[in-house]
Amino acid sequence: MIIAKHLTKHYGKNAALNDVSFAIEAGESVALWGANGAGKTTTLRCLLGVQGFEGELTVNAIDVCKNSKVARAAIGYVPQEAAFYDMTVLETLHFYARLKKAPAQRVSMVLLQVQLEEHAAKRVNMLSGGMKQRLALAVALLADPPVLVLDEPTANLDVKAQRDFIHSVQNLNQAGKTIVFSSHRLDEVVALGTRVLVLADGSLTLECQPHELAEKLGLHRWLRIWVAAHHKQDTRKVLDEGGFTYMPNGRSFYVQVNLGGKIEPLRSLEAASIPVEDFDLIDGELVLQGANHD
Ligand code: ATP
């Protein structure tokens, strides 16, 4: 469905992409993984045909360089945060259906696909971030393209909205859409990806299955656990005895877990009758940048 050969993009002397080659089969859901500046967005912009590049790129067997408009028609694009005019959800979809020359009947179909039927009469500026992102997905689906390209689609959403959005995209992938998305969220990659392409400094450095990513890159996951102040000492004792790597942070503890063992610290605390007030699973990088140890 997508074939990239020796993709290279320079900005001045800097190579944003350097000789990147990959192939994506129809029906795959491929994650582009990489730190800020790794080249994910540049790769997606090449796919969309909105910037020049060296190398070869075909989408649905159409050459992006020679025929960018036709190649682009095979792609529905969802940005990180879409902006909409002040209209209702239904008006917005009819507006874009006209722009994309999609049949008006597609509007009710895409509303159903992204579970926004009940919100059709709402004004867009009354929608939550998650609903707005699902509306952007609906817009991308109007012309029924075989490929969906999503640029860090859940980066600005809360946990529940992330899950709902990922669920919608999973359904679309199962229904046959080819998905390409950039991400630096492990949860999202594992939930949605069937394969991961890892970019670093503009080069493709690794290709693997989503469940292999954490181990191959030496990433850690952290479980943040909140306990009552009077249980802090006991919690330390339980985590020490369980051999966990952890960092206290105010009323909470960051406990290092692997993907399969994320409930082990919770089990240990339960066994010691220490009530957990709340918990959250987060990426290691975030903790290392943001934690305020005591
Ligand atoms: P992020 O997660 O921050 O979006 P990314 O992996 O998407 O990162 P890109 O946006 O593709 O990375 O950027 C790759 C490199 O190209 C970076 O070094 C970036 O500074 C550079 N770059 C991107 N766009 C431009 C531009 N318009 N002009 C100059 N340099 C650019």
Side-chain angles (χ1 to χ4, degrees):
M1 180 59 80
I2 297 168
I3 300 173
K5 286 185 187 162
H6 312 296
L7 268 193
T8 299
K9 172 72 188 172
H10 284 96
Y11 288 108
K13 281 186 186 161
N14 296 330
L17 281 182
N18 191 10
D19 199 18
V20 169
S21 300
F22 57 85
I24 297 174
E25 303 282 337
E28 278 198 278
S29 176
V30 173
L32 295 181
W33 174 275
N36 288 343
K40 305 180 296 292
T41 303
T42 305
T43 306
L44 299 184
R45 285 172 59 82
C46 290
L47 283 177
L48 295 169
V50 295
Q51 69 179 22
F53 56 85
E54 295 159 54
E56 293 168 35
L57 182 57
T58 59
V59 176
N60 210 10
I62 299 152
D63 189 317
V64 174
C65 287
K66 292 189 186 137
N67 219 342
S68 67
K69 225 174 155 189
V70 184
R72 174 71 179 83
I75 297 177
Y77 172 62
V78 180
Q80 198 175 105
E81 194 164 359
F84 293 104
Y85 298 109
D86 181 22
M87 293 189 274
T88 67
V89 167
L90 199 62
E91 285 163 352
T92 302
L93 287 170
H94 279 291
F95 171 77
Y96 281 104
R98 284 193 297 276
L99 268 187
K100 290 169 176 262
K101 300 190 174 46
Q105 305 90 284
R106 287 286 304 157
V107 168
S108 49
M109 291 179 76
V110 298
L111 271 174
L112 205 69
Q113 280 176 304
V114 304
Q115 289 105 42
L116 275 182
E117 323 89 285
E118 286 170 24
H119 306 282
K122 280 194 184 149
R123 298 200 83 76
V124 172
N125 56 19
M126 300 303 286
L127 299 181
S128 66
M131 287 180 198
K132 268 191 202 153
Q133 202 58 351
R134 295 213 303 278
L135 177 58
L137 182 59
V139 169
L141 287 166
L142 278 168
D144 202 13
V147 181
L148 282 175
V149 167
L150 308 104
D151 193 358
E152 299 197 23
T154 67
N156 300 325
L157 305 186
D158 62 39
V159 176
K160 160 89 172 66
Q162 278 171 18
R163 278 193 205 126
D164 291 346
F165 188 86
I166 287 171
H167 184 65
S168 295
V169 182
Q170 275 170 334
N171 286 341
L172 291 163
N173 181 230
Q174 274 156 20
K177 299 276 183 217
T178 305
I179 314 286
V180 185
F181 66 104
S182 65
S183 181
H184 43 231
R185 299 187 59 93
L186 202 52
D187 275 354
E188 183 174 62
V189 170
V190 171
L192 196 54
T194 54
R195 193 155 59 98
V196 192
L197 304 176
V198 178
L199 288 164
D201 293 330
S203 296
L204 190 59
T205 53
L206 176 72
E207 206 181 315
C208 66
Q209 298 293 306
H211 69 270
E212 298 171 326
L213 186 66
E215 201 184 326
K216 291 215 183 229
L217 296 185
L219 299 172
H220 296 301
R221 311 255 29 220
W222 296 82
L223 184 69
R224 188 173 187 186
I225 298 174
W226 281 264
V227 293
H230 62 278
H231 282 304
K232 246 186 113 176
Q233 278 312 321
D234 299 345
T235 300
R236 276 177 186 269
K237 200 164 159 255
V238 169
L239 294 175
D240 282 335
E241 283 170 358
F244 295 103
T245 299
Y246 68 93
M247 298 184 292
N249 180 292
R251 283 260 307 283
S252 71
F253 289 83
Y254 290 101
V255 187
Q256 195 173 306
V257 289
N258 59 35
L259 272 184
K262 57 194 174 202
I263 59 167
E264 279 167 22
L266 297 175
R267 280 215 182 108
S268 300
L269 291 172
E270 195 189 3
S273 303
I274 298 175
V276 169
E277 293 185 341
D278 202 359
F279 64 92
D280 194 8
L281 199 58
I282 46 182
D283 285 325
E285 280 172 282
L286 296 177
V287 177
L288 297 178
Q289 284 161 15
N292 176 21
H293 311 172
D294 66 8

